[in-house]
Amino acid sequence: MKKLLLTGFVPFLDNPINPTEEIVKALEGQTIGGYEIVGRILPVDFAESARQCIEHVNDVKPDVVISLGLAAGRNKVTPERIAINCRDGEPDNSGVRLQDAPIEEIGPAGYFSTLPIRAFVNASIDKGYPAAVSNTAGTYLCNNVMYSVLHKIEQEQLPMRAGFIHIPASHELALKKSGIPSWSLADLTESIRAMIEVLGE
Ligand code: PCA
C-alpha cells in the first residue's frame, strides 16, 4: 500500500500544547484515500527537526510527506504554498536563535509545495472546515522542515510529493493562551483527513 508520512511538532515557545501531536496520533495507522498513515513527531530545534524528518523519510520511504505545524492566531487550516531558504525568528527549544540564516548555503530561494494545495482547501471547505492557501510558512522550524524535505526530493529526484499545512490552535491550547481563535481537535483532525482523502482521487 502507498504510504504517507505525517509529521507533527512538540510544544514550543509559549504554546504548552501542540495540537499537531494529537492530530498525528489520531490519524497514524489509519488508511485514508488509499494511503497508510505513518506518524512521527519532530522536535522544535534548528539542528534536529529537518535532520530527523529526513531520517524518517529515508526509513519510511513514503509516497507523500505532509508536515503539520501550529500557527496559533490563524483561524483556518492553511496548506502552505512555498518554503523559503531562510531561518530567522524566535529561539528554538534548545535556545538557539538564528537571524537571516540560509537553510542551504547553495540552494534555491524557495520551493513550491508539490501537494495539491488548492484541492486540499476545497476538500476541507466542502466538508465544512474553513481553509485557505497560505503564502508564507514563516522563517521558523516549519518553513525549515518544509524547505529541507523539498530540497532532498529535488536533489535526489525522488518520486515523492511533499508540503506543509499550518493549523490554528485547539480549544485546549486557547484555554491556556488568551486572544487566539481556536478549533476543536476533532474538527482540526477532520479537516486534515479531508485533505488527505483528496490524494486518493
Ligand atoms: N509551529 C512552528 C514550529 C513548530 C510548530 O508547530 C512554526 O510555525 O514554525
Side-chain angles (χ1 to χ4, degrees), residues 30-103:
Q30 295 192 20
T31 300
I32 307 172
Y35 288 81
E36 181 196 339
I37 309 298
V38 180
R40 295 284 185 272
I41 303 301
L42 302 175
V44 174
D45 183 304
F46 281 113
E48 278 296 309
S49 308
R51 191 192 67 72
Q52 288 190 20
C53 194
I54 282 172
E55 210 169 85
H56 298 320
V57 169
N58 288 334
D59 288 350
V60 175
K61 299 184 180 51
D63 300 278
V64 176
V65 184
I66 299 181
S67 299
L68 304 177
L70 167 68
R74 288 194 188 172
N75 62 3
K76 294 179 180 175
V77 174
T78 47
E80 297 293 345
R81 192 188 302 276
I82 189 166
I84 62 171
N85 191 8
C86 180
R87 293 179 294 180
D88 198 301
E90 298 295 316
D92 67 13
N93 283 358
S94 304
V96 172
R97 180 174 213 144
L98 298 175
Q99 203 172 46
D100 309 328
I103 297 167

Side-chain angles (χ1 to χ4, degrees), residues 8-13 15 18-20 42-44 68-72 74 80 137-144 164 166-167:
F9 280 104
V10 299
F12 62 103
L13 295 172
N15 304 292
N18 194 329
T20 64
L42 302 175
V44 174
L68 304 177
L70 167 68
R74 288 194 188 172
E80 297 293 345
T139 52
Y140 196 50
L141 272 304
C142 295
N143 174 73
N144 193 158
F164 202 95
H166 265 120
I167 61 155

